[in-house]
Amino acid sequence: MESLTGRLLVATPALRDPNFERTVVLVVAHEEGGALGVVLNRATEVQVADVLGGWGALAGEPPVVFEGGPVQPEAAICLARTRPGVQDLAGFNRVSGAVGTVDLSGDPDLLVAGVLGVRVFAGYAGWSPGQLEREIEGGSWFVFDALPSDAFAPRPDDLWQMVLRRQGGLMAAVAHYPSDPTQN
């Protein structure tokens, strides 16, 4: 399978794992050794400024820490979106287009001129070699192209439905699938 780095994994209604039910995951790395991503639509109430000081000023709306996934919830991954025309930025590792990771041990003031905003994730989603491919083949995930704005959606709770709706056709209909079909 070709690399899914920079693409979205959107949980299908069949995926009932509470860690990933109705999630949208941005794949940050996908190689022979496995895959790593962050859940884009699980905001917490913890303010970025409360735990990472100066990084809070760069955090987009909502300026909170997100639950990036069940692996290493004490670790933080930071995504940033560069301003148009910015090519090289210290501490920025491009994932796709204008979106990449930044090193939180660096000085946030050095990024102010080059980024539109950041989003901080506690933990991540990880897959061993071949695991993600098996989950996709098994019907747990839809795979879609990401828009630069997906990782920084101001209303992250709406992201699952929004990504499905923009696919059109049958996928748009899946966006209206009830979270509990027995209550339909």
Side-chain angles (χ1 to χ4, degrees), residues 79-83 89 92 98-100 102 114-119 147-150 152:
L79 292 180
R81 184 176 179 190
T82 59
R83 294 182 183 281
L89 196 58
F92 180 79
V99 177
V102 293
V115 301
L116 292 170
V118 301
R119 185 147 283 172
L147 298 178
S149 58
D150 289 335
F152 305 94

Side-chain angles (χ1 to χ4, degrees), residues 53-72:
W55 289 97
L58 292 176
E61 284 298 320
V64 298
V65 175
F66 281 67
E67 291 178 23
V71 182
Q72 289 188 310

